[in-house]
Amino acid sequence: MTKKRRTRQHIIANLSENHVERFVLLCGYSSERISYDYGIDLIIFTYDLNGEIENGQIFVQLKATDTLKVLADKTTIPFTLKRADLELWLEEPLPLILIVYDAQTEVAYWLYVQAYFEQLNTSDLPQTGKTVTVYLSKQNIVDQEAIRTFARYRDTVLQQIQGVIHHNV
């Protein structure tokens, strides 16, 4: 009889969640894990200095690895994503942050997905294959300052849409 097994991939996936959630909590924020993963693993909620919840969320996709690939320049991490996930993320108005967790060094790196592709100025995503490679900077380390930066990205998006949305039925 074969029993179900907890694999190394399951363990490092949980470690990546724990790693990010710790920094979220240290900022005084909270996060919710998504049970059914359709391209988003965590949602971060932020609070003001009075502890009152702020509008908007930050979406996080976590990836964990025991074998982090780094380019010859030693500063760039190539990471391959499913095109279907990317199409979902690029249609999301609020920030989607890709976080790649290196389980061997217990360090996580991040990429603001929508901003990354906006800088590339590419409209050819549907023409690509089933996967797309993105490049994360090893300077973008997940820590408390990074979590606060994600909140600033969210605030910038919310400022741009003020007064534009109409909820008429």
Side-chain angles (χ1 to χ4, degrees):
M1 181 169 136
T2 304
K3 293 182 180 180
K4 293 207 178 234
R5 293 184 51 221
R6 180 160 167 81
T7 66
R8 174 68 179 159
Q9 193 57 43
H10 292 142
I11 293 167
I12 66 174
N14 287 147
L15 287 170
S16 71
E17 291 170 333
N18 176 266
H19 184 84
V20 173
E21 286 172 329
R22 181 174 189 279
F23 291 115
V24 168
L25 293 170
L26 287 170
C27 288
Y29 303 158
S30 64
S31 64
E32 295 289 329
R33 293 182 186 184
I34 305 301
S35 299
Y36 301 102
D37 178 8
Y38 293 103
I40 296 173
D41 293 311
L42 286 176
I43 301 175
I44 298 173
F45 299 89
T46 64
Y47 304 85
D48 66 17
L49 295 175
N50 296 321
E52 295 175 351
I53 193 163
E54 297 176 324
N55 286 332
Q57 298 83 37
I58 302 148
F59 299 106
V60 177
Q61 174 63 41
L62 295 165
K63 300 292 183 181
T65 182
D66 273 324
T67 55
L68 186 73
K69 294 182 177 119
V70 180
L71 296 182
D73 68 6
K74 298 189 189 313
T75 65
T76 307
I77 302 163
F79 201 85
T80 302
L81 303 169
K82 293 178 185 172
R83 188 184 75 206
D85 287 333
L86 198 50
E87 288 173 346
L88 171 71
W89 301 337
L90 293 177
E91 291 294 321
E92 174 57 50
L94 292 172
L96 184 294
I97 308 297
L98 170 67
I99 295 179
V100 178
Y101 177 72
D102 180 359
Q104 294 301 306
T105 62
E106 297 181 359
V107 176
Y109 305 94
W110 63 270
L111 177 76
Y112 181 3
V113 173
Q114 296 102 319
Y116 177 87
F117 280 91
E118 193 172 297
Q119 287 177 349
L120 289 180
N121 197 18
T122 181
S123 58
D124 294 336
L125 190 58
Q127 306 305 321
T128 64
K130 291 183 186 274
T131 62
V132 176
T133 301
V134 296
Y135 299 91
L136 293 82
S137 170
K138 283 192 81 176
Q139 292 182 340
N140 289 354
I141 295 173
V142 174
D143 56 15
Q144 284 179 261
E145 184 53 38
I147 302 298
R148 288 188 195 98
T149 297
F150 306 159
R152 286 193 296 275
Y153 293 154
R154 186 264 334 265
D155 293 344
T156 299
V157 170
L158 291 176
Q159 287 172 358
Q160 293 175 59
I161 62 176
Q162 281 185 345
V164 176
I165 298 172
H166 302 281
H167 294 282
N168 298 334
V169 181

